Amino acid sequence: MKVATAEEIRQLDLEAIETIGIPGIVLMENAGLQVVRVMNAHFPHLKTQKVLVVCGKGNNGGDGLVIARHLDNQGVDVRVTLLTEKTQLKGEAKINFDIAEKMNLPIVELTSNEQLPAFRNLLLQADIVVDAILGTGLNDAVKGFYKHIIESINKTHKPIIAVDIPSGLSADTGMVYGSCIKADVTVTFAIPKRGVILYPAADYVGNLEVVDIGIPKKLISSSRIKVHLVEYANVQGVFRKRMPNTHKGTYGHALVIAGSPGKSGAALMAGRSALRSGAGLVTLAIPENLRVPLEIPTLEVMTTSLPETPQGTVSLEAYDKILNLAQDKRVAAIGPGLSVHPSTVELVLRLIRTLEIPMVLDADAINAVAQNPEVLLEAKAPVVLTPHPGEMARLTPNIHVQNNRIPVAQETARKYNVFIALKGVRTIVAAPDGNVFINPTGNPGMATAGTGDVLTGIIAGLIAQNIIPVEAAKSGVFLHGLAGDLVVKDKGEYGLLAGDLIDAIPRAIKFIQDYC
Ligand SMILES: NC(=O)C1=CN([C@@H]2O[C@H](COP(=O)(O)OP(=O)(O)OC[C@H]3O[C@@H](n4cnc5c(N)ncnc54)[C@H](O)[C@@H]3O)[C@@H](O)[C@H]2O)[C@H](O)CC1
Ligand SMILES: [K+]
């Protein structure tokens, strides 16, 4: 599903009105009716409830007036507060105000702080509040009178239905500036806006309902919107049923270059995750000193040892051996627990320049790249990077990563011609062609050591099976989060171990396959 900025949805709205000829008043009517439908679904006893609809001065307020009219038609006890003088209303919002006035709906104009006690009184009498104060037209942090109104609504702890987006939320960034309505249900129109998907703003959304307001689907699919929310249907094609006449060679061989003293677990987890994701074979290339300790726990994963530095990390001297090892592999995962020893860093940079198989770079491989990001432009094969926000910041030192997750990932992917999976709540996968995929799976239980190594192994395991990098990154991130969700369903969030995730991968794959 596409995910819009305020400008993109405005553009779609305009095209529906001007190019297709659907009058704006029709879109607003549909929007209002859909909110009423969702309210009826959420509140079976709506008819016995008192609803306060709080309307701002723009089209979001116009939607509110449509909602109030239809609730009144249903026999609901509805009141409207208009946070502007009626003379300020324009266009469709004014038309709907005039209709509501002629229908004798109880509308109170409230425009100043002196009237806040009257507003609080109305709030006290209400059972449900409809937030139609501000939508995608928000252009600044909410201050003054609007801020007081929003804070009064939040304080009542009554169910709040937000129209399109909770008022105060930036549709574009996922940030909340000033005050914001904390909704129980948000009914967003046509397609979700970035702000209702991304955190921290997503915390204000409650249950998200995406409703059709009559903007033609073809307009949406042909629009230039490049940001998507990943859904089950988008990843099911990656996990197809296997053909009977196949063998482990069919599912590819992954090379994992990882580990250093004290970090053998990272290597092992990446290797096991690649196998759990369906790779036919995995070879773990580790520094010599880890070979014996890893011999027993690796079981299904093969190991091979590499020349090491005096500190026991993989050294530049391993270069020729790795080139040889890469000959019959479909992918190389590089980085988990590798260290940033200068010789190791030099090795990583040389491998990026010369390997001719796709690479998944994580952890210390990303730290190596951060020393010279231009090396990515010399890569001969596709590169997937899986940075957490701290690693991303090392690649893009002048930008605040967490406040700009989509643009940072998108621009870095374009600039260096790589695929990026920027980890964190709502992992962002960005491709060099500008496409961005927001991942909905995962949970805070996964904020624990080693889950990043698991993701690296999953993506490598999928590429080993000839899944193209963008699909491997997108579906790998989805699978990883889903495995975490399944574990949490059984065991709760506390004490989840990365190893639990690895064991849940097959179940998560089956869950995706069976989902309908
Ligand atoms: N295709 C659709 O999705 C449709 C959406 N509709 C609804 O229209 C709004 C967007 O309407 P718009 O008039 O552009 O903006 P708003 O109603 O959000 O508010 C604009 C209004 O508020 C002022 N303002 C902006 N920021 C602030 C602030 N921080 N404090 C105070 N006032 C502020 C601004 O100056 C304007 O006057 C969309 O969300 C949907 O709800 C259509 O109904 C149907 C099609
Ligand atoms: K709103």
Side-chain angles (χ1 to χ4, degrees), residues 100-161:
E101 208 174 33
K102 284 186 194 132
M103 282 178 65
N104 289 324
L105 292 191
I107 304 176
V108 185
E109 275 177 36
L110 298 173
T111 53
S112 68
N113 286 339
E114 290 74 59
Q115 293 167 301
L116 283 169
F119 180 69
R120 291 192 186 113
N121 207 22
L122 284 166
L123 269 179
L124 274 178
Q125 294 166 36
D127 300 310
I128 298 170
V129 182
V130 175
D131 156 33
I133 305 170
L134 290 159
T136 51
L138 180 90
N139 54 22
D140 198 1
V142 177
K143 295 176 232 133
F145 176 60
Y146 273 36
K147 183 179 163 80
H148 293 309
I149 291 280
I150 288 173
E151 285 171 2
S152 304
I153 295 173
N154 284 344
K155 264 189 212 143
T156 59
H157 300 293
K158 298 200 170 161
I160 303 172
I161 317 302

Short mmCIF file of all heavy atoms in Angstrom, two decimals, residues 100-161:
data_model
loop_
_atom_site.label_atom_id
_atom_site.label_comp_id
_atom_site.label_asym_id
_atom_site.label_seq_id
_atom_site.Cartn_x
_atom_site.Cartn_y
_atom_site.Cartn_z
N ALA A 100 -25.35 22.29 7.76
CA ALA A 100 -25.52 21.91 9.17
C ALA A 100 -26.34 22.96 9.92
O ALA A 100 -27.18 22.64 10.76
CB ALA A 100 -24.15 21.74 9.82
N GLU A 101 -26.08 24.23 9.56
CA GLU A 101 -26.81 25.32 10.23
C GLU A 101 -28.30 25.23 9.89
O GLU A 101 -29.17 25.35 10.76
CB GLU A 101 -26.24 26.67 9.80
CG GLU A 101 -26.42 27.74 10.84
CD GLU A 101 -25.72 29.04 10.48
OE1 GLU A 101 -25.64 29.38 9.28
OE2 GLU A 101 -25.25 29.72 11.41
N LYS A 102 -28.58 24.99 8.59
CA LYS A 102 -29.99 24.89 8.18
C LYS A 102 -30.68 23.69 8.80
O LYS A 102 -31.89 23.66 8.96
CB LYS A 102 -30.08 24.83 6.65
CG LYS A 102 -29.85 26.19 6.02
CD LYS A 102 -30.08 26.20 4.53
CE LYS A 102 -29.51 27.47 3.94
NZ LYS A 102 -28.69 27.24 2.77
N MET A 103 -29.88 22.67 9.12
CA MET A 103 -30.46 21.49 9.77
C MET A 103 -30.60 21.69 11.28
O MET A 103 -30.98 20.77 12.01
CB MET A 103 -29.58 20.25 9.52
CG MET A 103 -29.77 19.67 8.13
SD MET A 103 -28.66 18.27 7.87
CE MET A 103 -29.28 17.09 9.05
N ASN A 104 -30.24 22.91 11.71
CA ASN A 104 -30.34 23.26 13.14
C ASN A 104 -29.48 22.38 14.04
O ASN A 104 -29.86 22.09 15.19
CB ASN A 104 -31.79 23.19 13.63
CG ASN A 104 -32.59 24.32 13.06
OD1 ASN A 104 -32.05 25.43 12.90
ND2 ASN A 104 -33.84 24.05 12.72
N LEU A 105 -28.33 21.94 13.54
CA LEU A 105 -27.41 21.19 14.42
C LEU A 105 -26.91 22.16 15.49
O LEU A 105 -26.67 23.34 15.20
CB LEU A 105 -26.22 20.66 13.62
CG LEU A 105 -26.48 19.56 12.60
CD1 LEU A 105 -25.16 18.98 12.10
CD2 LEU A 105 -27.31 18.44 13.20
N PRO A 106 -26.73 21.68 16.72
CA PRO A 106 -26.22 22.59 17.76
C PRO A 106 -24.72 22.87 17.55
O PRO A 106 -23.89 22.01 17.82
CB PRO A 106 -26.47 21.82 19.06
CG PRO A 106 -26.67 20.39 18.66
CD PRO A 106 -27.01 20.34 17.21
N ILE A 107 -24.44 24.06 17.03
CA ILE A 107 -23.04 24.44 16.74
C ILE A 107 -22.65 25.62 17.63
O ILE A 107 -23.37 26.62 17.70
CB ILE A 107 -22.86 24.85 15.26
CG1 ILE A 107 -23.33 23.72 14.33
CG2 ILE A 107 -21.39 25.21 14.97
CD1 ILE A 107 -23.31 24.05 12.86
N VAL A 108 -21.50 25.48 18.30
CA VAL A 108 -21.02 26.58 19.14
C VAL A 108 -19.69 27.06 18.56
O VAL A 108 -18.80 26.25 18.32
CB VAL A 108 -20.78 26.10 20.59
CG1 VAL A 108 -20.40 27.27 21.49
CG2 VAL A 108 -21.99 25.38 21.12
N GLU A 109 -19.56 28.36 18.34
CA GLU A 109 -18.28 28.91 17.89
C GLU A 109 -17.42 29.21 19.10
O GLU A 109 -17.86 29.91 20.02
CB GLU A 109 -18.51 30.22 17.14
CG GLU A 109 -18.84 30.05 15.69
CD GLU A 109 -19.14 31.39 15.02
OE1 GLU A 109 -18.50 32.40 15.38
OE2 GLU A 109 -20.02 31.40 14.15
N LEU A 110 -16.23 28.68 19.11
CA LEU A 110 -15.29 28.95 20.22
C LEU A 110 -13.98 29.40 19.60
O LEU A 110 -13.39 28.67 18.81
CB LEU A 110 -15.05 27.69 21.05
CG LEU A 110 -16.26 27.08 21.77
CD1 LEU A 110 -15.88 25.76 22.41
CD2 LEU A 110 -16.78 28.04 22.84
N THR A 111 -13.54 30.59 19.93
CA THR A 111 -12.36 31.11 19.24
C THR A 111 -11.30 31.69 20.17
O THR A 111 -10.26 32.11 19.70
CB THR A 111 -12.79 32.20 18.24
OG1 THR A 111 -13.56 33.17 18.96
CG2 THR A 111 -13.63 31.64 17.11
N SER A 112 -11.56 31.72 21.46
CA SER A 112 -10.55 32.35 22.33
C SER A 112 -10.40 31.60 23.65
O SER A 112 -11.28 30.82 24.04
CB SER A 112 -10.97 33.80 22.64
OG SER A 112 -12.11 33.77 23.45
N ASN A 113 -9.29 31.86 24.30
CA ASN A 113 -8.99 31.18 25.56
C ASN A 113 -10.07 31.40 26.62
O ASN A 113 -10.29 30.55 27.47
CB ASN A 113 -7.64 31.65 26.12
CG ASN A 113 -6.49 31.05 25.32
OD1 ASN A 113 -6.68 30.04 24.64
ND2 ASN A 113 -5.33 31.69 25.37
N GLU A 114 -10.74 32.58 26.55
CA GLU A 114 -11.78 32.87 27.55
C GLU A 114 -12.93 31.86 27.46
O GLU A 114 -13.67 31.64 28.41
CB GLU A 114 -12.39 34.28 27.35
CG GLU A 114 -11.46 35.43 27.70
CD GLU A 114 -10.38 35.64 26.66
OE1 GLU A 114 -10.74 35.87 25.49
OE2 GLU A 114 -9.19 35.53 27.01
N GLN A 115 -13.06 31.25 26.28
CA GLN A 115 -14.18 30.31 26.10
C GLN A 115 -13.79 28.86 26.44
O GLN A 115 -14.61 27.96 26.28
CB GLN A 115 -14.68 30.38 24.65
CG GLN A 115 -15.32 31.73 24.35
CD GLN A 115 -15.53 31.92 22.87
OE1 GLN A 115 -14.57 31.88 22.09
NE2 GLN A 115 -16.77 32.11 22.47
N LEU A 116 -12.56 28.68 26.91
CA LEU A 116 -12.12 27.31 27.22
C LEU A 116 -12.99 26.64 28.30
O LEU A 116 -13.31 25.46 28.17
CB LEU A 116 -10.65 27.30 27.65
CG LEU A 116 -9.65 27.42 26.49
CD1 LEU A 116 -8.24 27.66 27.01
CD2 LEU A 116 -9.70 26.19 25.60
N PRO A 117 -13.41 27.36 29.34
CA PRO A 117 -14.28 26.69 30.33
C PRO A 117 -15.56 26.17 29.68
O PRO A 117 -16.02 25.07 30.01
CB PRO A 117 -14.58 27.80 31.35
CG PRO A 117 -13.41 28.73 31.23
CD PRO A 117 -13.01 28.71 29.79
N ALA A 118 -16.12 26.95 28.74
CA ALA A 118 -17.35 26.49 28.06
C ALA A 118 -17.04 25.21 27.27
O ALA A 118 -17.84 24.26 27.25
CB ALA A 118 -17.85 27.58 27.12
N PHE A 119 -15.86 25.19 26.66
CA PHE A 119 -15.48 23.99 25.90
C PHE A 119 -15.34 22.78 26.82
O PHE A 119 -15.84 21.68 26.53
CB PHE A 119 -14.17 24.24 25.14
CG PHE A 119 -13.73 23.05 24.34
CD1 PHE A 119 -14.43 22.64 23.22
CD2 PHE A 119 -12.61 22.31 24.72
CE1 PHE A 119 -14.04 21.52 22.49
CE2 PHE A 119 -12.22 21.20 24.00
CZ PHE A 119 -12.93 20.80 22.88
N ARG A 120 -14.69 23.01 27.96
CA ARG A 120 -14.47 21.88 28.90
C ARG A 120 -15.81 21.35 29.41
O ARG A 120 -15.97 20.16 29.64
CB ARG A 120 -13.57 22.33 30.06
CG ARG A 120 -12.16 22.59 29.55
CD ARG A 120 -11.13 22.75 30.65
NE ARG A 120 -9.87 23.14 30.03
CZ ARG A 120 -9.28 24.31 30.19
NH1 ARG A 120 -9.81 25.23 30.98
NH2 ARG A 120 -8.15 24.58 29.58
N ASN A 121 -16.76 22.25 29.55
CA ASN A 121 -18.09 21.86 29.97
C ASN A 121 -18.74 20.94 28.92
O ASN A 121 -19.32 19.90 29.26
CB ASN A 121 -18.91 23.14 30.16
CG ASN A 121 -20.00 22.91 31.17
OD1 ASN A 121 -19.91 21.98 31.98
ND2 ASN A 121 -21.06 23.71 31.11
N LEU A 122 -18.61 21.32 27.67
CA LEU A 122 -19.15 20.47 26.58
C LEU A 122 -18.47 19.11 26.58
O LEU A 122 -19.11 18.08 26.36
CB LEU A 122 -18.93 21.15 25.22
CG LEU A 122 -19.88 22.31 24.90
CD1 LEU A 122 -19.38 23.12 23.71
CD2 LEU A 122 -21.27 21.74 24.59
N LEU A 123 -17.14 19.14 26.81
CA LEU A 123 -16.38 17.88 26.85
C LEU A 123 -16.90 16.96 27.94
O LEU A 123 -17.04 15.76 27.75
CB LEU A 123 -14.91 18.17 27.14
CG LEU A 123 -13.96 18.38 25.96
CD1 LEU A 123 -12.57 18.68 26.49
CD2 LEU A 123 -13.94 17.17 25.04
N LEU A 124 -17.16 17.57 29.10
CA LEU A 124 -17.64 16.78 30.25
C LEU A 124 -18.92 16.03 29.93
O LEU A 124 -19.12 14.90 30.36
CB LEU A 124 -17.90 17.70 31.44
CG LEU A 124 -16.72 18.02 32.33
CD1 LEU A 124 -17.16 18.98 33.44
CD2 LEU A 124 -16.16 16.73 32.94
N GLN A 125 -19.77 16.69 29.12
CA GLN A 125 -21.07 16.08 28.81
C GLN A 125 -20.98 15.01 27.73
O GLN A 125 -21.92 14.25 27.52
CB GLN A 125 -22.04 17.17 28.36
CG GLN A 125 -22.39 18.16 29.44
CD GLN A 125 -23.07 19.38 28.84
OE1 GLN A 125 -23.83 19.29 27.91
NE2 GLN A 125 -22.74 20.54 29.40
N ALA A 126 -19.85 14.99 27.01
CA ALA A 126 -19.74 14.08 25.85
C ALA A 126 -19.27 12.69 26.27
O ALA A 126 -18.55 12.54 27.26
CB ALA A 126 -18.77 14.66 24.84
N ASP A 127 -19.70 11.67 25.49
CA ASP A 127 -19.18 10.31 25.70
C ASP A 127 -18.04 10.01 24.72
O ASP A 127 -17.16 9.21 25.02
CB ASP A 127 -20.30 9.27 25.47
CG ASP A 127 -21.45 9.48 26.43
OD1 ASP A 127 -21.19 9.58 27.64
OD2 ASP A 127 -22.61 9.55 25.97
N ILE A 128 -18.14 10.59 23.54
CA ILE A 128 -17.15 10.32 22.48
C ILE A 128 -16.78 11.66 21.84
O ILE A 128 -17.65 12.52 21.68
CB ILE A 128 -17.76 9.40 21.40
CG1 ILE A 128 -18.16 8.05 21.99
CG2 ILE A 128 -16.79 9.20 20.22
CD1 ILE A 128 -18.98 7.17 21.05
N VAL A 129 -15.50 11.83 21.51
CA VAL A 129 -15.07 13.08 20.87
C VAL A 129 -14.56 12.78 19.46
O VAL A 129 -13.80 11.83 19.25
CB VAL A 129 -13.94 13.76 21.69
CG1 VAL A 129 -13.53 15.08 21.05
CG2 VAL A 129 -14.38 13.96 23.14
N VAL A 130 -14.99 13.58 18.49
CA VAL A 130 -14.47 13.47 17.13
C VAL A 130 -13.51 14.62 16.91
O VAL A 130 -13.87 15.79 17.05
CB VAL A 130 -15.61 13.50 16.08
CG1 VAL A 130 -15.03 13.51 14.67
CG2 VAL A 130 -16.54 12.29 16.28
N ASP A 131 -12.28 14.27 16.57
CA ASP A 131 -11.24 15.28 16.34
C ASP A 131 -11.18 15.64 14.86
O ASP A 131 -10.59 14.92 14.06
CB ASP A 131 -9.89 14.73 16.83
CG ASP A 131 -8.72 15.41 16.15
OD1 ASP A 131 -8.83 16.61 15.84
OD2 ASP A 131 -7.69 14.72 15.93
N ALA A 132 -11.81 16.76 14.50
CA ALA A 132 -11.76 17.26 13.12
C ALA A 132 -11.15 18.66 13.15
O ALA A 132 -11.63 19.59 12.52
CB ALA A 132 -13.16 17.27 12.52
N ILE A 133 -10.09 18.80 13.96
CA ILE A 133 -9.50 20.13 14.16
C ILE A 133 -8.50 20.44 13.05
O ILE A 133 -8.60 21.43 12.34
CB ILE A 133 -8.81 20.20 15.55
CG1 ILE A 133 -9.79 19.81 16.66
CG2 ILE A 133 -8.26 21.60 15.78
CD1 ILE A 133 -9.16 19.62 18.04
N LEU A 134 -7.51 19.58 12.90
CA LEU A 134 -6.47 19.81 11.90
C LEU A 134 -6.16 18.49 11.19
O LEU A 134 -6.08 17.45 11.82
CB LEU A 134 -5.17 20.29 12.57
CG LEU A 134 -5.20 21.70 13.16
CD1 LEU A 134 -4.11 21.85 14.20
CD2 LEU A 134 -5.05 22.73 12.05
N GLY A 135 -5.97 18.56 9.89
CA GLY A 135 -5.60 17.37 9.13
C GLY A 135 -4.26 17.58 8.46
O GLY A 135 -3.30 18.03 9.10
N THR A 136 -4.22 17.29 7.18
CA THR A 136 -2.94 17.37 6.46
C THR A 136 -2.53 18.82 6.19
O THR A 136 -1.46 19.06 5.66
CB THR A 136 -3.03 16.60 5.14
OG1 THR A 136 -4.20 17.04 4.44
CG2 THR A 136 -3.13 15.11 5.38
N GLY A 137 -3.39 19.77 6.54
CA GLY A 137 -3.04 21.18 6.33
C GLY A 137 -2.19 21.76 7.45
O GLY A 137 -1.81 22.93 7.40
N LEU A 138 -1.87 20.95 8.46
CA LEU A 138 -1.04 21.44 9.57
C LEU A 138 0.27 22.01 9.01
O LEU A 138 0.95 21.35 8.23
CB LEU A 138 -0.70 20.28 10.53
CG LEU A 138 0.16 20.67 11.73
CD1 LEU A 138 -0.73 21.07 12.90
CD2 LEU A 138 1.05 19.51 12.15
N ASN A 139 0.58 23.24 9.41
CA ASN A 139 1.81 23.84 8.86
C ASN A 139 2.75 24.35 9.93
O ASN A 139 3.74 25.00 9.62
CB ASN A 139 1.45 24.95 7.86
CG ASN A 139 0.51 25.97 8.49
OD1 ASN A 139 0.45 26.09 9.72
ND2 ASN A 139 -0.23 26.68 7.66
N ASP A 140 2.45 24.06 11.18
CA ASP A 140 3.31 24.56 12.27
C ASP A 140 2.98 23.77 13.54
O ASP A 140 1.96 23.09 13.59
CB ASP A 140 2.99 26.05 12.50
CG ASP A 140 4.11 26.75 13.27
OD1 ASP A 140 5.11 26.07 13.59
OD2 ASP A 140 3.95 27.95 13.56
N ALA A 141 3.84 23.91 14.53
CA ALA A 141 3.53 23.29 15.83
C ALA A 141 2.24 23.92 16.36
O ALA A 141 2.00 25.10 16.16
CB ALA A 141 4.67 23.52 16.80
N VAL A 142 1.43 23.09 17.02
CA VAL A 142 0.17 23.62 17.55
C VAL A 142 0.46 24.39 18.84
O VAL A 142 1.08 23.88 19.76
CB VAL A 142 -0.80 22.46 17.85
CG1 VAL A 142 -2.09 23.00 18.46
CG2 VAL A 142 -1.11 21.69 16.58
N LYS A 143 0.01 25.66 18.84
CA LYS A 143 0.26 26.50 20.02
C LYS A 143 -1.04 27.18 20.46
O LYS A 143 -2.06 27.07 19.79
CB LYS A 143 1.28 27.60 19.66
CG LYS A 143 2.66 27.05 19.33
CD LYS A 143 3.59 28.18 18.89
CE LYS A 143 4.23 27.88 17.59
NZ LYS A 143 4.37 28.63 16.51
N GLY A 144 -0.94 27.93 21.54
CA GLY A 144 -2.03 28.82 21.96
C GLY A 144 -3.36 28.12 22.16
O GLY A 144 -3.43 27.04 22.77
N PHE A 145 -4.41 28.72 21.60
CA PHE A 145 -5.78 28.26 21.82
C PHE A 145 -5.96 26.80 21.38
O PHE A 145 -6.50 25.97 22.12
CB PHE A 145 -6.72 29.20 21.04
CG PHE A 145 -8.15 28.80 21.07
CD1 PHE A 145 -8.84 28.71 22.28
CD2 PHE A 145 -8.82 28.52 19.89
CE1 PHE A 145 -10.19 28.34 22.30
CE2 PHE A 145 -10.16 28.15 19.91
CZ PHE A 145 -10.83 28.06 21.12
N TYR A 146 -5.47 26.46 20.18
CA TYR A 146 -5.61 25.08 19.68
C TYR A 146 -4.92 24.09 20.61
O TYR A 146 -5.39 22.99 20.85
CB TYR A 146 -5.03 24.95 18.26
CG TYR A 146 -6.02 25.29 17.15
CD1 TYR A 146 -6.96 26.30 17.30
CD2 TYR A 146 -6.00 24.60 15.95
CE1 TYR A 146 -7.85 26.61 16.29
CE2 TYR A 146 -6.89 24.89 14.92
CZ TYR A 146 -7.81 25.91 15.10
OH TYR A 146 -8.69 26.20 14.10
N LYS A 147 -3.77 24.50 21.13
CA LYS A 147 -3.02 23.63 22.05
C LYS A 147 -3.86 23.36 23.30
O LYS A 147 -3.97 22.21 23.75
CB LYS A 147 -1.70 24.33 22.43
CG LYS A 147 -0.78 23.53 23.32
CD LYS A 147 0.49 24.37 23.56
CE LYS A 147 1.27 23.87 24.75
NZ LYS A 147 2.09 22.71 24.46
N HIS A 148 -4.48 24.42 23.83
CA HIS A 148 -5.33 24.23 25.03
C HIS A 148 -6.50 23.30 24.72
O HIS A 148 -6.87 22.46 25.54
CB HIS A 148 -5.85 25.59 25.53
CG HIS A 148 -4.76 26.47 26.05
ND1 HIS A 148 -3.86 26.05 26.98
CD2 HIS A 148 -4.42 27.75 25.76
CE1 HIS A 148 -3.01 27.03 27.26
NE2 HIS A 148 -3.33 28.07 26.52
N ILE A 149 -7.09 23.49 23.55
CA ILE A 149 -8.23 22.65 23.16
C ILE A 149 -7.78 21.18 23.10
O ILE A 149 -8.42 20.29 23.67
CB ILE A 149 -8.78 23.10 21.77
CG1 ILE A 149 -9.45 24.46 21.87
CG2 ILE A 149 -9.70 22.04 21.17
CD1 ILE A 149 -10.85 24.47 22.42
N ILE A 150 -6.65 20.94 22.41
CA ILE A 150 -6.16 19.56 22.24
C ILE A 150 -5.84 18.95 23.61
O ILE A 150 -6.20 17.80 23.89
CB ILE A 150 -4.94 19.54 21.29
CG1 ILE A 150 -5.42 19.81 19.85
CG2 ILE A 150 -4.16 18.23 21.38
CD1 ILE A 150 -4.33 19.99 18.83
N GLU A 151 -5.19 19.73 24.45
CA GLU A 151 -4.83 19.18 25.77
C GLU A 151 -6.07 18.90 26.62
O GLU A 151 -6.12 17.90 27.34
CB GLU A 151 -3.83 20.11 26.46
CG GLU A 151 -2.46 19.92 25.81
CD GLU A 151 -1.41 20.92 26.24
OE1 GLU A 151 -1.70 21.78 27.08
OE2 GLU A 151 -0.29 20.82 25.68
N SER A 152 -7.08 19.75 26.50
CA SER A 152 -8.32 19.49 27.25
C SER A 152 -8.96 18.20 26.77
O SER A 152 -9.45 17.41 27.58
CB SER A 152 -9.34 20.62 27.06
OG SER A 152 -8.78 21.84 27.43
N ILE A 153 -8.97 17.99 25.46
CA ILE A 153 -9.58 16.76 24.92
C ILE A 153 -8.81 15.54 25.44
O ILE A 153 -9.40 14.57 25.91
CB ILE A 153 -9.60 16.78 23.37
CG1 ILE A 153 -10.51 17.90 22.86
CG2 ILE A 153 -10.04 15.42 22.82
CD1 ILE A 153 -10.48 18.10 21.35
N ASN A 154 -7.47 15.61 25.35
CA ASN A 154 -6.67 14.45 25.80
C ASN A 154 -6.90 14.14 27.27
O ASN A 154 -6.90 12.98 27.68
CB ASN A 154 -5.18 14.70 25.55
CG ASN A 154 -4.81 14.55 24.08
OD1 ASN A 154 -5.59 13.98 23.31
ND2 ASN A 154 -3.65 15.04 23.70
N LYS A 155 -7.09 15.21 28.05
CA LYS A 155 -7.24 15.01 29.51
C LYS A 155 -8.53 14.30 29.89
O LYS A 155 -8.64 13.74 30.98
CB LYS A 155 -7.19 16.37 30.22
CG LYS A 155 -5.79 16.70 30.72
CD LYS A 155 -5.83 17.93 31.58
CE LYS A 155 -4.52 18.69 31.43
NZ LYS A 155 -4.68 20.13 31.44
N THR A 156 -9.55 14.35 29.02
CA THR A 156 -10.85 13.77 29.41
C THR A 156 -10.81 12.24 29.45
O THR A 156 -11.65 11.63 30.09
CB THR A 156 -11.97 14.14 28.41
OG1 THR A 156 -11.57 13.65 27.14
CG2 THR A 156 -12.22 15.62 28.37
N HIS A 157 -9.85 11.65 28.71
CA HIS A 157 -9.76 10.19 28.60
C HIS A 157 -11.05 9.58 28.09
O HIS A 157 -11.42 8.47 28.45
CB HIS A 157 -9.34 9.55 29.94
CG HIS A 157 -8.01 10.04 30.40
ND1 HIS A 157 -6.85 9.73 29.73
CD2 HIS A 157 -7.66 10.85 31.42
CE1 HIS A 157 -5.84 10.32 30.34
NE2 HIS A 157 -6.29 11.01 31.36
N LYS A 158 -11.74 10.33 27.22
CA LYS A 158 -12.92 9.77 26.55
C LYS A 158 -12.47 9.25 25.19
O LYS A 158 -11.46 9.72 24.66
CB LYS A 158 -13.97 10.86 26.39
CG LYS A 158 -14.40 11.37 27.75
CD LYS A 158 -15.71 12.07 27.76
CE LYS A 158 -16.10 12.29 29.22
NZ LYS A 158 -17.10 13.30 29.41
N PRO A 159 -13.19 8.27 24.63
CA PRO A 159 -12.76 7.76 23.33
C PRO A 159 -12.69 8.89 22.29
O PRO A 159 -13.62 9.69 22.20
CB PRO A 159 -13.85 6.75 22.97
CG PRO A 159 -14.55 6.44 24.24
CD PRO A 159 -14.40 7.63 25.14
N ILE A 160 -11.59 8.91 21.56
CA ILE A 160 -11.39 9.97 20.56
C ILE A 160 -11.24 9.33 19.17
O ILE A 160 -10.41 8.42 18.99
CB ILE A 160 -10.12 10.79 20.86
CG1 ILE A 160 -10.19 11.40 22.27
CG2 ILE A 160 -9.91 11.88 19.81
CD1 ILE A 160 -8.89 12.07 22.72
N ILE A 161 -12.02 9.84 18.23
CA ILE A 161 -11.89 9.40 16.83
C ILE A 161 -11.22 10.52 16.08
O ILE A 161 -11.75 11.64 16.00
CB ILE A 161 -13.28 9.17 16.16
CG1 ILE A 161 -14.23 8.44 17.10
CG2 ILE A 161 -13.14 8.48 14.81
CD1 ILE A 161 -13.74 7.12 17.56
#
